[in-house]
Amino acid sequence: MRISLVLFTQLVHGFIYTKKDLFKSCLGRQAKEKERPEYIPGKINDPNYVRIFDTTLRDGEQSPGATLTSNEKLEIARALAKGKVDIIEAGFPVASPDDFDAVQMIARVVGNEIADDGHVPVICGLSRANRRDIQVAWDAIKYARKPRIHTFIATSQVHMESKLRKTPDQVVEIAIDAVQFAKSLGCNDIEFSPEDAGRSDPIFLERVLQAVIDAGATTLNIPDTTGWNLPWEFGDLIQRLSKKFQDRDVIFSTHCQNDLGLATANSLSGALNGARQIECTINGIGERAGNAALEEIVCALKLKGDSHVNGLWTGVDPRFIAPASKLVAQYTGMNVQPHKAIVGANAFQHESGIHQDGMIKNKSTYEIMTPESVGLERDSNDAGIVLGKHSGRNAVATRLRALGYSDVADDTDRFLQVFERFKQVAEKKKGGLEDEDLEAIAGDEAYAANTHLWSLVSVQVTTGTGVTPTATVTMSGPDGVHRTVASTGTGPVDAVFRCIDDITAVNIQLSTYDLEAVTSGIDAMATTKVIVMPTPGTQLESTSLHASGSLSSKRFSGTGSDTDVVVSSARAYVNAVNKLINWNLRRTSASEQQADFAFPPRTNSSAPVVSPAVPAAAAA
């Protein structure tokens, strides 16, 4: 069925609800959940079930500055599994030894953790259409209960001529060989993507897909790689392909980029026209303008799947959305815009007098879902709880859960870190702490780098008119020894950063520095975000292979919070430095253990990457 402009408008903007619809629309009030169909590669026993394929850890991490550590990736993967996501694309294993190690760890751990309802996510690894990539991907994911190889090659004329420099016949042969080789390794769940399908000749596209189906592909992913398609165009393409191969055991999938802001609409249009897998990311992060946002896809299907999208549904639990959104935002350093659908700070806020009046009388007047349905709690402060220096652990934990940080509140070690810092800030801040203050503390303490090689002990600065800005910084290293350095700079923050560079013996460049006050007033909490990258040509220079085949410099983000902007900046910088050093240490260790893999050549020295100020034992 061809999607019309009217239907597209309905999908994006919603319908005028009847009173009955309004009450049914809240996700938390849905009828008993349906039973998820058994996972079978290439088949779905329920024709209306849509698999959710999350690529936050692969495409999402390709966002500039969004480098994640292995432990951070594992924690995000666990959150996705807890939310009942069907498929987790854990990464691009051939990109680097560290990426391989992270994907393999997720396959071994998350890929074997069985939920109470028996759910185990599929763990997927991306590879280009060549045997080396596919072998490395399989070696990383084969330990999962449900492993999948995702291989791809471009099929649009511009990509074949300009990037691949291959003829259409050569592309078909490469695609066939890739799928056949993946199958020969013992993988029975193979996804194939014709990159830039949205701009490919449909006739050639059909030829390629016919060939890979015959070779053993079980999922055909149709990417709108450049976000070029409009919803009705993309829907027509999916309909054409799904009808063409309707008698084959294969699932059609969508992967829509957001260059025109249509990724979610295109994905839903694809599902309406036959696709039964949607690829998406938490918060919509990804290359350029990002991907279809998981939270938007899941909530749209939950709210309107039965009534307006031909009965389509998904088994993802939307209550995991808010905690997962905050987790990804903190670890990637990519803040969510306030007006972002579902997960933005303003998503459930009402300032207009008319809207407030309606909300007081009936919340369904201006909300089509409840904050509780996506993992938030509302009005927990109605009991008169004001967080201050006399607040106890229960009050702080309760408020964290209300703000969507249940993963922190329920983790004893991380919660104690947050609570200790909360007490320190509460002693300085009069009038109690606001939600934004607590969120900044949670982000700074609970989501900081998993391995603290270096920690900030104290910061002192001298600055002013006619005075050379000077900083004195004391840090504790991996060996527990305190080191103190003094330095000057163009300003107090620059002086502090120079001290940190001297103590940790790293040579890095600051590419991004953002500072904002999360609350108002003279004693407001400040949150700083920095992005750093190793200076080219130095020992710590870090490169990563993208799925496009290009090498790019790794960037590392860090965040920090404090009522003092200088201390906030120092915390953020130390966080980023820790990530950079840890990444290099793991890469060196992985390179030594996996020297038999023909990974892409590295541009930096192959010697162990250990800073002169970091004991060699820290690399163990």
Side-chain angles (χ1 to χ4, degrees), residues 75 82 323 326-327 330-331 396-397 400-401 404-419 438-439 441-443 445-447:
E75 191 169 349
K82 185 177 180 181
K326 294 179 186 296
L327 187 71
Q330 290 291 345
Y331 281 162
V396 175
L400 282 170
R401 292 190 185 95
Y405 292 90
S406 55
D407 57 326
V408 176
D410 297 335
D411 185 319
T412 302
D413 292 337
R414 289 201 294 173
F415 173 71
L416 289 178
Q417 284 182 294
V418 172
F419 185 71
L438 187 58
E439 288 193 87
I441 293 171
E445 293 297 326
Y447 297 130

Side-chain angles (χ1 to χ4, degrees), residues 56-76:
T56 301
L57 299 175
R58 201 276 301 170
D59 199 320
E61 201 204 7
Q62 290 178 197
S63 304
T67 300
L68 298 166
T69 67
S70 295
N71 286 335
E72 289 168 348
K73 291 179 181 179
L74 178 62
E75 191 169 349
I76 291 172

Side-chain angles (χ1 to χ4, degrees), residues 354-367:
I354 295 175
H355 286 218
Q356 289 175 346
D357 178 65
M359 286 294 295
I360 291 170
K361 294 173 179 175
N362 185 338
K363 289 183 173 63
S364 63
T365 53
Y366 288 102
E367 286 186 355

Side-chain angles (χ1 to χ4, degrees), residues 390-472:
H390 299 298
S391 297
R393 296 180 184 181
N394 187 39
V396 175
T398 298
R399 193 65 197 138
L400 282 170
R401 292 190 185 95
L403 294 171
Y405 292 90
S406 55
D407 57 326
V408 176
D410 297 335
D411 185 319
T412 302
D413 292 337
R414 289 201 294 173
F415 173 71
L416 289 178
Q417 284 182 294
V418 172
F419 185 71
E420 182 180 347
R421 181 80 187 287
F422 162 81
K423 283 292 192 181
Q424 295 172 0
V425 174
E427 286 287 343
K428 305 175 186 176
K429 194 167 170 56
K430 297 180 180 179
L433 274 71
E434 299 181 30
D435 287 348
E436 293 83 359
D437 297 322
L438 187 58
E439 288 193 87
I441 293 171
D444 197 14
E445 293 297 326
Y447 297 130
N450 295 82
T451 304
H452 291 280
L453 289 175
W454 293 96
S455 58
L456 191 67
V457 176
S458 66
V459 176
Q460 291 182 335
V461 296
T462 302
T463 190
T465 305
V467 176
T468 300
T470 305
T472 302

Side-chain angles (χ1 to χ4, degrees), residues 117-450:
D117 63 355
H119 175 64
V120 180
V122 174
I123 304 300
C124 178
L126 182 72
S127 71
R128 293 167 298 183
N130 67 64
R131 294 193 172 197
R132 185 192 65 165
D133 276 30
I134 294 168
Q135 180 69 63
V136 173
W138 178 243
D139 289 339
I141 64 164
K142 64 184 179 183
Y143 301 99
R145 285 175 175 264
K146 301 174 184 177
R148 176 189 289 191
I149 291 175
H150 180 190
T151 188
F152 72 96
I153 189 169
T155 55
S156 67
Q157 183 177 351
V158 64
H159 275 249
M160 288 190 291
E161 292 179 355
S162 302
K163 185 180 75 172
L164 300 179
R165 301 186 186 279
K166 303 287 185 184
T167 66
D169 288 344
Q170 289 175 314
V171 167
V172 172
E173 289 304 314
I174 292 170
I176 292 172
D177 182 72
V179 174
Q180 288 179 338
F181 181 67
K183 191 172 182 179
S184 72
L185 297 175
C187 183
N188 65 353
D189 191 356
I190 303 168
E191 177 171 338
F192 175 79
S193 288
E195 186 185 9
D196 204 20
R199 295 190 297 173
S200 298
D201 174 16
I203 296 176
F204 178 63
L205 201 55
E206 290 176 354
R207 178 188 169 194
V208 174
L209 297 181
Q210 178 70 64
V212 296
I213 292 174
D214 292 341
T218 54
T219 299
L220 301 179
N221 181 49
I222 309 302
D224 182 20
T225 304
T226 59
W228 171 252
N229 294 131
L230 297 176
W232 43 91
E233 291 179 292
F234 193 69
D236 282 350
L237 178 61
I238 295 295
Q239 183 186 72
R240 171 177 177 157
L241 297 175
S242 60
K243 282 188 174 181
K244 173 76 174 178
F245 302 107
Q246 60 185 341
D247 296 328
R248 304 300 298 269
D249 288 334
V250 66
I251 302 298
F252 274 91
S253 170
T254 68
H255 182 109
C256 300
Q257 299 293 135
N258 204 38
D259 297 70
L260 292 177
L262 296 172
T264 295
N266 282 346
S267 299
L268 292 173
S269 176
L272 188 67
N273 284 277
R276 290 298 178 265
Q277 174 179 290
I278 295 178
E279 303 197 357
C280 44
T281 62
I282 298 292
N283 299 337
I285 65 172
E287 287 273 18
R288 302 185 314 280
N291 290 271
L294 179 145
E295 59 274 9
E296 296 171 11
I297 298 295
V298 169
C299 289
L301 291 177
K302 290 283 186 179
L303 287 171
K304 311 193 73 170
D306 283 340
S307 58
H308 298 103
V309 199
N310 295 342
L312 299 185
W313 66 286
T314 176
V316 173
D317 183 353
R319 291 172 296 182
F320 100 103
I321 286 174
S325 170
K326 294 179 186 296
L327 187 71
V328 170
Q330 290 291 345
Y331 281 162
T332 61
M334 302 183 70
N335 296 328
V336 178
Q337 61 193 38
H339 56 281
K340 170 72 176 68
I342 318 293
V343 294
N346 296 343
F348 296 99
Q349 300 295 320
H350 306 271
E351 186 167 334
S352 164
I354 295 175
H355 286 218
Q356 289 175 346
D357 178 65
M359 286 294 295
I360 291 170
K361 294 173 179 175
N362 185 338
K363 289 183 173 63
S364 63
T365 53
Y366 288 102
E367 286 186 355
I368 60 172
M369 70 189 83
T370 66
E372 292 84 1
S373 67
V374 294
L376 295 170
E377 295 180 24
R378 195 202 318 258
D379 297 334
S380 65
N381 266 341
D382 282 349
I385 296 175
V386 176
L387 296 180
K389 64 180 182 180
H390 299 298
S391 297
R393 296 180 184 181
N394 187 39
V396 175
T398 298
R399 193 65 197 138
L400 282 170
R401 292 190 185 95
L403 294 171
Y405 292 90
S406 55
D407 57 326
V408 176
D410 297 335
D411 185 319
T412 302
D413 292 337
R414 289 201 294 173
F415 173 71
L416 289 178
Q417 284 182 294
V418 172
F419 185 71
E420 182 180 347
R421 181 80 187 287
F422 162 81
K423 283 292 192 181
Q424 295 172 0
V425 174
E427 286 287 343
K428 305 175 186 176
K429 194 167 170 56
K430 297 180 180 179
L433 274 71
E434 299 181 30
D435 287 348
E436 293 83 359
D437 297 322
L438 187 58
E439 288 193 87
I441 293 171
D444 197 14
E445 293 297 326
Y447 297 130
N450 295 82

